[in-house]
Amino acid sequence: MSNTLRGADIVARSLARLGVKNVFTLSGNHIMSIFDAALDADLDLVHVRHEAAAVHMADAWGRLTGQPGIALVTGGPGHANAIGALFTALAAESPMVLLSGHAATWELGRGGFQEIRQADMAAPVTKASWTSSAARALGRDIGEAFRIATSGRPGPVHVSLPSDLLDARVAIDAIAWPNVPNRATRLRLADAAADAVLEAISQAAKPLIVAGPMLSNVGSRDLLARLEDATNTPCVIVEIARGMADATLGAFTDLAPRVDLLVLLGKALDFTLQWAKSPAFAADLRLIAIDPEPALVERAIRETDGRLAAAYVAHPARAAETLLARAHGKTIRDDAWRREARALLDGRPEVWQKLAAQSAQKLHPAEVFRPLRPYVERDPDCVLICDGGEFAQWGQGMLPVRRRLVNGVAGAIGAGLPFALAARLVEPKAPVFAVLGDGTFGFHLAEFETAVRRNLPFVCVLGNDARWNAESQIQLRAYGANRQHGCDLLPARYDQAVAALGGYGELVERAADLGPAIERALASGKPACINVMIESIAAPSIRL
Ligand SMILES: Cc1ncc(C[n+]2csc(CCOP(=O)(O)OP(=O)(O)O)c2C)c(N)n1
Ligand SMILES: [Mg+2]
């Protein structure tokens, strides 16, 4: 026996070899062999309360570290529960791997326990999805999943692991262990191509560089800031389903029609940019596309009807590095346009400083984010999470952006609380704040129990307007004032629910009470929920 290894041990040791420490999981018959193997491989199992939460945590891990986060769920219904969350990770271009238990190979087609075509289910929401077919190749499968998740445009990968393969024993010299992926697979932009892009930028009157979700991490934000400095060309990240109307981007919708050259730096040309068509952008806009995926470069060509000046297949971060290197020591253009653009992107209406609630025992969203801002600013390693509808948009418009997680291009609400737990595992010390609406909060409330059990403190600032307000606002806009119905919630005491789960909870109904409540929540050292009663206000539309 000693010269053999169990399939489950091959999986666990392969993960350890690839540098994995934390596995986000929810138990089940099909994967208990991996729970057992985790003991010897020294993997820390973070056992959550819904499979979607495990995927969201792996997603957050991937976004924050650049290394694949790992979710491990059981077969059949466990796997099915995980699927929706993969959509969020795919649209956020987040590297992660979902490992699902699976009926034994000998059960297939015979009505096995929880048997269902799992790889087919996950295929549309992953970069790759398959079922392992040999115990000796389990390690190679894990390595391949890592490679695909991190190469090109990052994203989720799924592998189903039949239970008989996990229980099988394999001769040690027959095991195919994973290769450690290497960064060199990121395609670079050739110097001549970079020079051509810089030339086009210097010739343009009003150029703009737009990046996508894969560049929204801290390192890439720094890279984009340096690229903006070096080229005097504004660089923005479009990373949520609201697209150009993301309050983070200020008056971007006023800026866009003035642009004459749009450089897509790993940004998929899609609905978030209105396909760069008029009236969002000028009808004679010229474009350059740089993307790691030939299929997306082709789509950009198709969608731009001959307005694409050039297209390159390259990794956007590496392309940015080459552009920086080639721009070094040159003055690409003066800074007049950049200053004009920055005023629109970073400016906020003056009245926001004075916005106050009109009703008793409620705050205006602006009265929440004015006092929260200094706490988010204080520590550069602070992680800020914004999730939900109208309230979170006020947060995205008023809070500084550095290490931030948002729900993303999928436009799926609900991941915020799982994100906060994963963020705390990545970041041991600096504050973690999660800004959520009350509807959104309900998706994964039970993860407060996980957070308490695992001692993962963070502060959730919950905007409670007793309503699914984003949808209520759609009813108001589309159907009229007397047609808002069916979107109300209770002004529930979520703070008490969190306290009952062992966390720290406070109710805030007056603006003056919020700052001290944040102090107490941080000082509690517990997972905390500040339940702030707010007025039901539409997301800001920023015109300057
Ligand atoms: C998974 C998912 N379900 C439904 C929606 C539609 N949706 C978007 S925002 C929203 C309302 C959110 O309510 P809340 O969290 O209370 O935020 P508010 O808009 O009230 O500030 C809903 C239902 C969605 N985007 N994602
Ligand atoms: Mg609400």
Side-chain angles (χ1 to χ4, degrees):
M1 291 294 262
S2 61
N3 55 355
T4 65
L5 211 53
R6 179 174 55 163
D9 292 297
I10 299 174
V11 170
R13 290 187 198 192
S14 295
L15 290 171
R17 280 183 183 217
L18 289 160
V20 173
K21 299 213 161 42
N22 301 104
V23 174
F24 304 102
T25 186
L26 205 159
S27 57
N29 292 29
H30 290 123
I31 54 170
M32 296 324 289
S33 56
I34 302 180
F35 269 54
D36 184 61
L39 283 173
D40 300 322
D42 216 14
L43 297 175
D44 179 16
L45 302 178
V46 182
H47 201 157
V48 304
R49 308 302 302 267
H50 191 289
E51 285 84 359
V55 172
H56 289 318
M57 290 179 194
D59 173 357
W61 184 280
R63 295 194 214 181
L64 287 169
T65 67
Q67 298 303 312
I70 308 299
L72 171 68
V73 304
T74 199
H79 176 75
N81 276 350
I83 295 291
L86 290 172
F87 186 31
T88 298
L90 183 71
E93 305 174 349
S94 171
M96 60 152 294
V97 175
L98 170 66
L99 300 175
S100 298
H102 187 275
T105 53
W106 57 264
E107 289 181 293
L108 299 183
R110 300 174 59 200
F113 172 58
Q114 298 182 337
E115 175 194 354
I116 189 140
R117 297 204 314 276
Q118 296 184 182
D120 287 352
M121 288 175 84
V125 281
T126 49
K127 288 183 77 179
S129 175
W130 71 92
T131 305
S132 287
S133 57
R136 69 184 137 61
L138 285 166
R140 195 194 58 199
D141 282 340
I142 305 281
E144 189 61 1
F146 268 60
R147 188 187 65 73
I148 297 170
T150 50
S151 65
R153 170 173 274 98
V157 175
H158 163 67
V159 188
S160 271
L161 306 169
S163 55
D164 55 331
L165 304 189
L166 295 176
D167 291 334
R169 299 208 70 94
V170 181
I172 285 183
D173 55 12
I175 297 171
W177 292 105
N179 296 319
V180 178
N182 94 48
R183 193 172 175 273
T185 55
R186 293 179 163 191
L187 287 175
R188 72 182 292 271
L189 183 69
D191 288 350
D195 291 347
V197 173
L198 293 171
E199 179 61 20
I201 286 175
S202 71
Q203 296 296 318
K206 301 188 170 191
L208 175 71
I209 297 172
V210 176
M214 64 184 287
L215 295 193
S216 79
N217 53 67
V218 174
S220 300
R221 282 185 188 280
D222 288 346
L223 186 62
L224 289 174
R226 283 190 283 130
L227 186 62
E228 176 165 327
D229 277 344
T231 59
N232 270 323
T233 302
C235 294
V236 303
I237 300 176
V238 173
E239 58 172 332
I240 67 167
R242 289 182 192 236
M244 300 192 290
D246 179 351
T248 311
L249 302 174
F252 185 51
T253 47
D254 287 341
L255 173 86
R258 302 183 202 177
V259 171
D260 67 344
L261 175 72
L262 182 62
V263 180
L264 299 168
L265 187 59
K267 169 66 191 142
L269 187 58
D270 61 9
F271 73 100
T272 61
L273 285 174
Q274 303 289 310
W275 293 275
K277 291 199 192 321
S278 170
F281 285 88
D284 59 353
L285 173 76
R286 308 257 298 152
L287 292 99
I288 293 175
I290 302 171
D291 201 279
E293 275 178 71
L296 284 187
V297 170
E298 280 169 26
R299 189 166 85 190
I301 294 169
R302 211 167 50 234
E303 290 293 339
T304 48
D305 326 309
R307 290 178 299 141
L308 200 71
Y312 306 100
V313 176
H315 189 281
R318 285 206 77 194
E321 283 161 11
T322 308
L323 287 167
L324 267 174
R326 303 299 291 180
H328 186 73
K330 299 184 195 135
T331 304
I332 306 292
R333 47 188 303 108
D334 71 33
D335 69 350
W337 157 245
R338 177 191 174 192
R339 281 194 283 115
E340 180 187 336
R342 271 291 147 211
L344 287 171
L345 294 164
D346 299 340
R348 296 293 179 265
E350 289 229 343
V351 297
W352 283 20
Q353 288 308 318
K354 299 197 200 76
L355 287 175
Q358 304 297 307
S359 15
Q361 293 180 306
K362 284 182 184 168
L363 282 70
H364 186 285
E367 291 177 292
V368 177
F369 298 114
R370 286 198 302 258
L372 182 56
R373 186 175 171 107
Y375 292 97
V376 175
E377 258 166 357
R378 201 159 61 186
D379 189 326
D381 294 327
C382 173
V383 184
L384 170 66
I385 292 148
C386 296
D387 185 17
E390 309 302 89
F391 175 69
Q393 275 301 296
W394 282 97
Q396 289 181 208
M398 294 184 68
L399 298 173
V401 181
R402 191 173 151 75
R403 211 175 180 191
R404 192 186 71 168
L405 299 173
V406 288
N407 45 21
V409 172
I413 59 173
L417 291 176
F419 280 2
L421 274 73
R424 173 51 75 219
L425 278 165
V426 171
E427 170 49 52
K429 281 210 219 59
V432 174
F433 289 105
V435 166
L436 269 67
D438 53 330
T440 301
F441 182 85
F443 280 64
H444 289 293
L445 162 60
E447 295 310 331
F448 268 100
E449 189 277 333
T450 310
V452 172
R453 176 164 36 86
R454 291 299 311 254
N455 187 25
L456 300 172
F458 65 95
V459 178
C460 169
V461 178
L462 167 61
N464 191 338
D465 64 348
R467 185 172 284 177
W468 302 94
N469 192 27
E471 309 312 299
S472 192
Q473 292 298 324
I474 291 175
Q475 293 178 320
L476 179 65
R477 286 196 305 272
Y479 310 112
N482 54 350
R483 311 292 292 177
Q484 282 175 289
H485 80 118
C487 290
D488 287 344
L489 293 164
L490 295 175
R493 292 298 302 272
Y494 298 109
D495 52 310
Q496 292 180 345
V498 167
L501 291 171
Y504 180 82
E506 276 208 44
L507 177 72
V508 169
E509 297 174 311
R510 294 185 324 154
D513 296 338
L514 183 56
I518 295 170
E519 290 285 357
R520 287 189 292 271
L522 287 168
S524 76
K526 294 181 181 175
C529 169
I530 307 180
N531 185 8
V532 189
M533 293 298 161
I534 58 161
E535 289 182 320
S536 207
I537 306 258
S541 144
I542 306 173
R543 312 302 294 257
L544 295 165

